[in-house]
Amino acid sequence: MTTTPPALTPDHALARLPELTVVDVRTPGEYASGHIPGAHNIPLDALRRALPALRAAHGELVLVCASGARAENARAVLAEHGIPAATITGGTRGWAERGHALHRPQGTSRTTRTTWAMERQVRLTAGALVLAGLGLGQLHPAWLLLSAGVAGGLVFSALTDTCGMAAVLAKFPHNRPRATDLDATLAALGSARD
């Protein structure tokens, strides 16, 4: 049995893809916009519910997100529960930059067409809040605190490599999996692969 290092390069992961169980911890909308072929979608905030299925998963477990930060957070959660896992350096972005194909489901569902990557959703929300604070600050100076609060949150986010705004946005309906989708993913993790 091959032991998976804590992080795989996209090329190394591609070469070993048939023997790996890849779990994409992005939101369902991000996952639908393009994911590593064969990856299972379990959003980061649903990870604890998935622990039994992940413990029973076949093959070596590899976690991926857009750039790697959420996958590393997921790896830490799994390590706390005694479940070894690796990540893919650079996430799906790094995978695509190396020229590896992303699976993009066909269909015309609203989620597939309209959900942006979480980073883009955060940029839009932060920018809109800053502009709102500046605009409303013309009416009353206290509104400028909104812009200052967002700026402080962005600095904190950069220093801690966490994002409270992303955690809030992940709870919006367009970023949430339907219960049946998550149940199907968990069942697929438990099915035998040879």
Side-chain angles (χ1 to χ4, degrees):
M1 181 171 141
T2 307
T3 302
T4 302
L8 300 173
T9 66
D11 294 336
H12 191 204
L14 178 65
R16 296 190 52 212
L17 201 54
E19 65 193 62
L20 302 174
T21 297
V22 180
V23 175
D24 191 320
V25 298
R26 296 176 300 158
T27 66
E30 290 175 290
Y31 174 82
S33 70
H35 57 270
I36 293 173
H40 302 276
N41 184 220
I42 301 175
L44 183 58
D45 62 351
L47 198 63
R48 292 189 191 281
R49 177 177 170 209
L51 289 173
L54 292 169
R55 189 171 278 115
H58 300 279
E60 295 177 62
L61 197 57
V62 177
L63 305 166
V64 68
C65 64
S67 64
R70 285 179 279 177
E72 189 55 43
N73 290 341
R75 191 168 86 80
V77 169
L78 295 183
E80 289 173 12
H81 292 88
I83 303 171
T87 61
I88 296 177
T89 307
T92 53
R93 190 174 303 131
W95 178 274
E97 287 171 358
R98 294 290 299 155
H100 305 315
L102 291 174
H103 176 69
R104 290 183 171 86
Q106 298 299 318
T108 58
S109 73
R110 181 185 58 81
T111 302
T112 302
R113 287 183 290 137
T114 63
T115 302
W116 291 349
M118 186 57 66
E119 181 183 350
R120 187 175 181 192
Q121 292 180 50
V122 167
R123 288 193 315 252
L124 173 70
T125 304
L129 288 172
V130 167
L131 287 175
L134 292 173
L136 292 170
Q138 300 299 311
L139 300 174
H140 192 281
W143 281 106
L144 294 173
L145 293 175
L146 177 62
S147 298
V150 172
L154 291 172
V155 170
F156 180 79
S157 176
L159 292 174
T160 62
D161 200 21
T162 62
C163 187
M165 190 177 291
V168 171
L169 291 172
K171 297 192 182 306
F172 280 45
H174 64 278
N175 285 324
R176 303 288 308 149
R178 293 188 312 255
T180 54
D181 293 342
L182 186 56
D183 291 340
T185 298
L186 298 179
L189 280 173
S191 65
R193 288 187 341 182
D194 292 319

